[in-house]
Amino acid sequence: MKRYQHYIDGAFVDPAGQEWFETVNPYTAKPWAEIARGTAADMERAVDAAHLALHKGEWAAYTASQRGALLRRIGDLIAENAEFLAEVEVRDNGKLMAEMLGQLRYLPNYYYYYGGLADKIEGSVMPLDKKGYFAYSEYEPLGVIGIITPWNSPLNLTTWKLAPALAAGNTVVIKPSEFTSASMLELVSLIEKAGAPPGLVNVVTGFGADVGPALTDSPKVAKIAFTGSDETGRKIYAAAAKTMKHVTMELGGKSPNIIFDDANLEDAVNGAISGIFAATGQTCIAGSRLLVQNSIHDEVVERLVKIAGTARMGDPSRMETQVGPVTTMPQYEKVLSYIDIAKGEGARLVTGGFPAKRSECGNGWFVEPTIFDDVTADMRIAQEEVFGPVLSILRFDDEEDAIEIANNTIYGLAAGVWTADIARAFRMSKGLRAGTVWINTYRAISYMVPFGGYKQSGIGRENGAEMIKEYLQTKSVWIDIGAAKSNPFVQR
Ligand code: NAD
């Protein structure tokens, strides 16, 4: 079995404790590689290396244009190796090759985009209302950035943080999910090949509780950029507060996908399917609540059941597969437990609702695409994130009703609206409390478009030109160029 070491200070190294753990292929349910089991000692070493690289050595002397050039070289190497990286991700997280290949081929764009921004980070000269002074502001990197990511789209979600962090001149320590660490270690080999100086990018693997605190509590770390569950997010936010760190938090969702009776039903139903069964529902933006206008309810349910029942399940590495396994055993058990909860609450099961045992599913952790109808807003299945292929259908009467139901959760990550009426689309997008609203589409993502959550779905935004400021801090400089000498005991 292949062994993956940590990557610290420009070298692949064994864990201090010499312990390893197995990473499992969710399709075969068999281990395929060993991952270094990190301890606080490994994390401290990585943080020290990143801290040193920030102030001394090669990276500290890079010009902004050199940073941009490094990012472009990383992008080129990802483009050359996209297929290989996608294969590793599919083996480790069981997501569809069709999806991961698309994601990996798109990934270089983030490095090109933020690489292009690296030498366009410009400060300002203020006109000033006080005579005899000159004042300007400039941007500086925040410092060491801790990047903590989940298992569902490892390289994609890391890149959303890594590319702007490097473009802004920071150094980073990455802690990938213990379930899907392998692709990050393959990527860091490419980053090394691109010529990254030692200490710039460090990767420490292992379990959150073992290595996390040495990152989130360290006074040498300036910011934590986190994607993951809200439960872990709360812990990290509290830990970061102790040393007054910056944070970006991309957390969970219970996103509403809303179909009005004037919508193109074929597109809307496909959008609903893509919202919940793509990626086996394991995406923070899953449209897990489908709000359907009463007048079209029966037709929409009938169409959905037909597509869900005929979805091709099986080996995620085959391009024709439509629904793959759940990524982890605990997640598989969680999904099945939510199905029981929904049944117990009186939601009406219209399709699926059990582990998939078709022969194409091998020994993998598969759950049949599941749809519950007659779900009401007070049910747990309408309020809590399942993170699996389980759709809840809720009915509504009119726009006002739809907005009220849609906004009635602690989350606010995304929402979809299906309507042929442009004025209604605008009204709905204004009324929805969500960081992203898709009109007549779902799950569209770009490096140019800000992404993040309202309410308890998160803090801060990722992607888009402005978001590079999430990795910068402002310094203001005042120069006396002949100001009148004033009373030293009062403010100038
Ligand atoms: P998780 O919160 O369990 O783990 C995320 C990461 O945090 C892992 O790397 C884990 O090891 C680490 N971690 C755990 N405890 C830690 C601690 N005490 N200190 C530091 N790090 C710690 O999440 P998961 O189960 O891997 O991922 C699924 C969740 O992620 C879902 O809830 C989903 O909604 C969310 N998610 C959100 C987005 C988004 O952009 N908003 C995207 C993908 C996933």
Side-chain angles (χ1 to χ4, degrees), residues 42-57:
D42 298 309
M43 187 54 87
E44 281 160 16
R45 230 181 116 193
V47 168
D48 284 347
H51 198 250
L52 197 67
L54 191 68
H55 302 293
K56 286 201 180 91

Side-chain angles (χ1 to χ4, degrees), residues 311-326:
R312 283 190 297 276
M313 302 185 81
D315 184 349
S317 67
R318 296 173 71 98
M319 289 301 275
E320 62 274 21
T321 301
Q322 293 172 320
V323 179
V326 172

Side-chain angles (χ1 to χ4, degrees), residues 58-94:
E58 246 186 277
W59 179 247
Y62 261 48
T63 64
S65 302
Q66 284 174 311
R67 296 202 302 266
L70 174 66
L71 281 161
R72 287 191 291 279
R73 286 197 299 277
I74 296 173
D76 287 346
L77 285 168
I78 295 174
E80 281 167 32
N81 293 277
E83 216 156 298
F84 169 69
L85 292 171
E87 275 165 24
V88 175
E89 296 229 299
V90 171
R91 200 176 308 140
D92 224 11
N93 77 0

